[in-house]
């Protein structure tokens, strides 16, 4: 007979709650060595978080922080130059 998805699927899933912090997600990725985490709310899967999702988010945040710091430095330099 033909195989079914349930006959070959992983049964010991590592999941994360939807309201878990990204720090918790990062720790879980490192501890479990999985690439994707099913995201659950009230026992039902609501999505999937991948390592790539997390890395992209961190990269975007770093860019935003760097942009904000550069703008503050520019503003401070302009104030200093004006006086």
């Amino acid at each position: 007979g033909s195989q079914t998805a349930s006959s070959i699927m992983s049964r010991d899933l590592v999941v994360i709650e939807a309201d878990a912090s990204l720090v918790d997600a990062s720790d879980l990725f490192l501890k479990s060595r999985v690439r994707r985490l099913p995201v659950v709310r009230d026992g039902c899967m609501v999505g999937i978080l991948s390592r790539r999702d997390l890395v992209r988010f961190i990269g975007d945040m770093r860019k935003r922080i760097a942009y904000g710091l550069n703008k503050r430095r520019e503003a401070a330099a302009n104030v200093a130059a004006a006086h």
Side-chain angles (χ1 to χ4, degrees), residues 13-42:
L13 296 181
V14 178
V15 300
I16 191 160
E17 291 290 330
D19 60 353
S21 73
L22 294 181
V23 171
D24 290 341
S26 178
D27 289 345
L28 195 51
F29 276 123
L30 292 172
K31 288 178 189 170
S32 64
R33 299 178 181 255
V34 296
R35 290 188 213 139
R36 291 173 191 84
L37 290 169
V39 179
V40 297
R41 180 179 293 123
D42 300 324

Side-chain angles (χ1 to χ4, degrees), residues 9-73:
M9 70 183 183
S10 298
R11 296 187 191 285
D12 297 325
L13 296 181
V14 178
V15 300
I16 191 160
E17 291 290 330
D19 60 353
S21 73
L22 294 181
V23 171
D24 290 341
S26 178
D27 289 345
L28 195 51
F29 276 123
L30 292 172
K31 288 178 189 170
S32 64
R33 299 178 181 255
V34 296
R35 290 188 213 139
R36 291 173 191 84
L37 290 169
V39 179
V40 297
R41 180 179 293 123
D42 300 324
C44 295
M45 191 171 116
V46 295
I48 293 186
L49 178 66
S50 69
R51 283 181 179 239
R52 179 182 235 175
D53 295 334
L54 190 58
V55 168
R56 282 183 179 166
F57 176 80
I58 292 168
D60 288 346
M61 290 305 295
R62 288 183 65 203
K63 287 178 188 173
R64 289 179 189 166
I65 290 167
Y67 178 80
L69 289 175
N70 287 337
K71 285 297 184 184
R72 287 183 184 168
R73 287 185 189 128

